[in-house]
Each structure stands twice: as structure tokens, then as C-alpha cells.
Amino acid sequence: MRPTTSKLLMLGSAASAFALLAGACGSGTGATGGSGSDRVHQMYTWVSTDNDRAQWQSFVDAAKAKDPNFTLSFDGPSFNDYWTKVKTRMVTSDAPCILTTQAARAQELYGLLEPLDSYMDAAGIKASDYNAAMMQGMTVDGKVLALPYDAEPDVLYYNRELFEKAGRSAPTTSYTTEQFLKDAKALTGDGNYGMAVKPLLLANAAGDFGIAFGGDVSKDGKNTLTDPKFVQGVQFAFDLAFKEQVAVAPNAADNDGPAQGAFTSGTAAMLIDGPWMYGTFEKSLGDKLGVATIPTPTGTPRAVIQGSGFGIAKSCPDKQAAFDVLRQLVTPEVIGAVAEKQGTVPSVESAMGRWAANKPEDSAQAVRTLLEHGTPLVTTTTWNQINTSFQQYSPEGFRGTKTASEILTELQNSAG
């Protein structure tokens, strides 16, 4: 599910959403009771939209299709609030036993998550059953803290129709930043822009170009925001608005909405986001929607692989029973069913065919290529602080009042 902000996924029916809301809302307030049995069948996660709710319900429905006795309710705050509230929710007497985490946040939630290694061994589940980059992100101090359900490389979305009208060739899996700039300039004019950008760090031009240029956000447990390659890539993204004028500088409060809206309305020809947005974008753009690798200086693809998974709270009174519930959410059959319905790139290779079904071959190939050339998103305990601060200050970079080096140095010094 969504690695940076609350995911917008395919909507379930209004009736199903309402019924689920009624059944799950108590888990965040204690109204459902605090017995161990109840808690084992409850999950705390980010639930801020009908789309989020439909995503989690897809897991429940798929697990129930395999085991009619399967039950799981869920509730929680918005994605942005989750990372603060989970730290207090999980230490209450009626805390749900199952919680979600991103690979990028596993370091932050280390004190809340029960290591799963012994439970996996007893169940015959191997770390190698899942995407290697995601498992690297989910492992802290040699201990597996969650099992991933998706493995999503950030991608470049583009509008096929706008490219054709401008006489531009569709991006390939060896797309260079030089060609990208030529395309973006050709696609800019008459109130339309070649690219839409957000104030966010990842699933956005800034951080993703930092990765594409060969940088990383951390190494050996320390932030590396001032890595020269990362700084160079972020500056390239900032220049798209201020220098090249092929994008509109965002505001700090924008989050995803304005940039995604510009892309789906056709006023921006390209956008960097996650594969989890495919279903939503397809509903707006249909056959116009294309997926490509993120441009790099050399044309050799490189992208960060984001994703999320399910873990068990250390406060859970019956961790084995909770793991028995959790393991049903991450079988290849369940992950494949959700991938097919919701568009999340599965964390198990055997489910990739179901995900790729009904997608253009070049779009599916772009994602496969990025999975092969991806780098795991391994972060530090101050990742939430970094994300929040970058969103606050990045508009100054896009407007040219501060350089990437100045902003990233400030964040590096404050976050440690």
C-alpha cells in the first residue's frame, strides 16, 4: 500500500464501505472490548478514505475466500497521523494485535513490533519467499519485523495521447534525463506542463531523482541526505520548476492532490508516483495512461522500492494466534488476488502475472525492469521527521529561493 501518503485505490461499493466502517470503528476507541481473542482479530492501520478501506477489505475478502472462518476488523487514522498515533495506540490495554508498517518505517516502529523469525520458522515461511528489497527494509538488527504484501518501485507515469500529439516517442526502459527534458519542454505550453511535482520527498520527482542519480537516503543506519549524487538529483527536480519551467512549484500543504489532479486532467503530461496509483489513474485516463522507468543520467534504470506489510504488536497477549491470522494475509493467493483487484505490485514473484493482467505490456515491463534494478528503501529512526521537514521546505527549492544542498544539509543536521 501507499509508501508516502494515504493511497487512492479502486473504490469498493458504498454499502460495503459503510458496513465495514460500522464494524471496525470501535477498535480505535476500545468499544470492541479488550480480550486477547478480540485483539487477535483486530488491525490498526491507516484508514482515511474509502479507497484505503477498500484496500484492506480486499485482503479480508481474499483471506475469507480461502478460509470462510477468517475474521479481521481494522481501523485507524490518516496515513500522516498514523506514524505518531500508532506509538500510543499500541501500548493501550485494548490495542489491536496486528498493525501495518512500511519498510521505510520499520526502524521507527522497532519498539512496537514483535520479531517474526521464530513464528516464520515454525510455519515454514522463509524470508526468500518475498521480494528481497522489501525484506531488507522489514529487517532491523537482523530480525524480521513484518511480512510485506507489496513491492512497489516508484515509476514515471505519462500521458500517451499528449506524447503523440506533441510528436514525441514514448519513454523506453532506458530513458535518459536528457531525453526527458527535451520531452518535458516540448509538452509545455498554452497553460499545460510537461511534469507535475509535489512537495513530498518520495513518490515524487525530488527524492526519486535523487535515487535515480545514484544516491541513497541512508547507509549503515545513518542519514545520507547530503550524498552528492542524491543532492544532484534533488536539484535536478527543483530546476524543473524554477529553471526549466516545465512544472509548477508546489505549496507545502499540497500533498498529492494538485499534482495528481493536473496529471489526470491532462494539464501535466508526466508525474512520478507509485504503482499503487495505477488503478485510480486508469479510471481517469484509460488507454492514455502509460508507465515508464524514471529517467536517469545514463539511461540505466534505478528506482527505490517501497511497500508495506503486516506485523504483530509486542503488546499482543497471544502472539502465536495473531501470527496465524497475519500469515493468511500474505499467502501468494491472497497477495495475488489483491494485486489483481487493487493494482498493488505483489511482494511474491508468483503473483506478478495476476498483477500484469489487462495492463499494456510496455507498462508492465517498466515495472518489472525497475524491480530488477531497484534499491530498497532503508531508513533511520528519524525518517518521519525528515519527510515532514522536506515537505515544509521543498517549495523553496522548487521556487529557487534555496538550493537542494542548503535544504538537505539543514535536514541532515537537524535529523542527525
Side-chain angles (χ1 to χ4, degrees), residues 197-200 248-255 258 391-392 394-395 398-399:
V197 297
K198 316 170 192 177
L200 310 173
V248 177
N251 297 310
D254 283 350
N255 291 313
Q391 182 170 349
Q392 179 182 354
S394 67
F398 284 110
R399 291 183 173 87

Side-chain angles (χ1 to χ4, degrees), residues 114-404:
E114 172 76 5
L116 302 181
D117 305 81
S118 62
Y119 303 97
M120 293 168 61
D121 289 344
I125 297 174
K126 300 178 181 178
S128 59
D129 294 339
Y130 300 91
N131 177 270
M134 281 300 300
M135 288 307 299
Q136 186 174 338
M138 295 292 193
T139 302
V140 180
D141 291 343
K143 300 174 182 177
V144 176
L145 299 184
L147 289 178
Y149 57 80
D150 64 349
E152 315 232 33
D154 289 355
V155 301
L156 177 74
Y157 287 101
Y158 67 98
N159 187 310
R160 296 179 189 270
E161 182 179 72
L162 294 180
F163 266 71
E164 291 172 2
K165 287 182 177 180
R168 313 303 293 181
S169 299
T172 68
T173 53
S174 56
Y175 202 30
T176 65
T177 48
E178 179 182 9
Q179 185 61 50
F180 163 78
L181 266 182
K182 291 178 180 177
D183 291 339
K185 290 178 180 179
L187 290 158
T188 298
D190 298 325
N192 298 323
Y193 291 86
M195 186 76 172
V197 297
K198 316 170 192 177
L200 310 173
L201 182 55
L202 291 178
N204 180 40
D208 280 294
F209 275 119
I211 299 293
F213 275 59
D216 288 295
V217 296
S218 74
K219 185 176 181 180
D220 299 328
K222 297 181 180 180
N223 297 313
T224 56
L225 302 178
T226 54
D227 171 358
K229 292 181 179 178
F230 190 75
V231 173
Q232 183 184 9
V234 173
Q235 188 61 56
F236 178 84
F238 285 166
D239 287 346
L240 295 176
F242 172 67
K243 180 181 177 181
E244 306 295 348
Q245 298 185 359
V246 296
V248 177
N251 297 310
D254 283 350
N255 291 313
D256 291 299
Q260 291 175 344
F263 178 66
T264 56
S265 69
T267 59
M270 292 180 280
L271 171 74
I272 290 177
D273 214 312
W276 55 86
M277 290 303 303
Y278 187 93
T280 297
F281 291 162
E282 186 183 38
K283 288 172 67 177
S284 297
L285 294 173
D287 293 340
K288 300 176 186 177
L289 180 64
V291 178
T293 59
I294 295 171
T296 66
T298 63
T300 300
R302 189 176 195 259
V304 67
I305 295 178
Q306 303 200 58
S308 303
F310 304 103
I312 297 173
K314 283 186 175 180
S315 59
C316 178
D318 191 343
K319 297 178 180 64
Q320 181 60 60
F323 185 79
D324 291 341
V325 173
L326 182 154
R327 63 183 294 193
Q328 295 182 74
L329 298 172
V330 291
T331 65
E333 295 84 359
V334 169
I335 289 174
V338 176
E340 183 175 1
K341 182 178 181 181
Q342 301 295 130
T344 50
V345 180
S347 60
V348 289
E349 176 63 30
S350 62
M352 281 297 291
R354 298 184 69 176
W355 168 83
N358 302 318
K359 292 181 176 65
E361 177 54 34
D362 58 350
S363 292
Q365 185 56 44
V367 173
R368 290 193 180 101
T369 298
L370 288 173
L371 283 172
E372 294 170 4
H373 294 82
T375 182
L377 181 56
V378 178
T379 65
T380 68
T381 56
T382 55
W383 184 239
N384 193 49
Q385 175 187 340
I386 289 169
N387 273 285
T388 301
S389 297
F390 186 86
Q391 182 170 349
Q392 179 182 354
Y393 297 119
S394 67
E396 297 180 66
F398 284 110
R399 291 183 173 87
T401 57
K402 280 191 176 181
T403 66

Side-chain angles (χ1 to χ4, degrees), residues 11-193:
L11 289 172
S13 69
S16 296
F18 178 80
L20 182 58
L21 175 61
C25 64
S27 64
T29 63
T32 58
S35 73
S37 177
D38 288 341
R39 294 166 64 185
V40 162
H41 297 280
Q42 295 173 6
M43 179 172 73
Y44 192 68
T45 184
W46 46 89
V47 189
S48 57
T49 68
D50 287 341
N51 301 321
D52 287 335
R53 202 170 290 281
Q55 167 76 353
W56 301 125
Q57 185 62 32
S58 293
F59 279 98
V60 175
D61 292 344
K64 189 177 287 288
K66 190 175 180 181
D67 176 7
N69 295 319
F70 180 86
T71 60
L72 181 69
S73 65
F74 54 86
D75 197 19
S78 69
F79 179 85
N80 288 337
D81 288 342
Y82 177 80
W83 306 104
T84 300
K85 293 185 177 181
V86 68
K87 296 173 184 178
T88 54
R89 182 69 180 107
M90 285 301 109
V91 296
T92 60
S93 61
D94 65 341
C97 279
I98 297 175
L99 66 157
T100 52
T101 184
Q102 294 180 316
R105 313 279 188 147
Q107 290 271 0
E108 288 183 57
L109 303 190
Y110 178 79
L112 302 178
L113 291 162
E114 172 76 5
L116 302 181
D117 305 81
S118 62
Y119 303 97
M120 293 168 61
D121 289 344
I125 297 174
K126 300 178 181 178
S128 59
D129 294 339
Y130 300 91
N131 177 270
M134 281 300 300
M135 288 307 299
Q136 186 174 338
M138 295 292 193
T139 302
V140 180
D141 291 343
K143 300 174 182 177
V144 176
L145 299 184
L147 289 178
Y149 57 80
D150 64 349
E152 315 232 33
D154 289 355
V155 301
L156 177 74
Y157 287 101
Y158 67 98
N159 187 310
R160 296 179 189 270
E161 182 179 72
L162 294 180
F163 266 71
E164 291 172 2
K165 287 182 177 180
R168 313 303 293 181
S169 299
T172 68
T173 53
S174 56
Y175 202 30
T176 65
T177 48
E178 179 182 9
Q179 185 61 50
F180 163 78
L181 266 182
K182 291 178 180 177
D183 291 339
K185 290 178 180 179
L187 290 158
T188 298
D190 298 325
N192 298 323
Y193 291 86

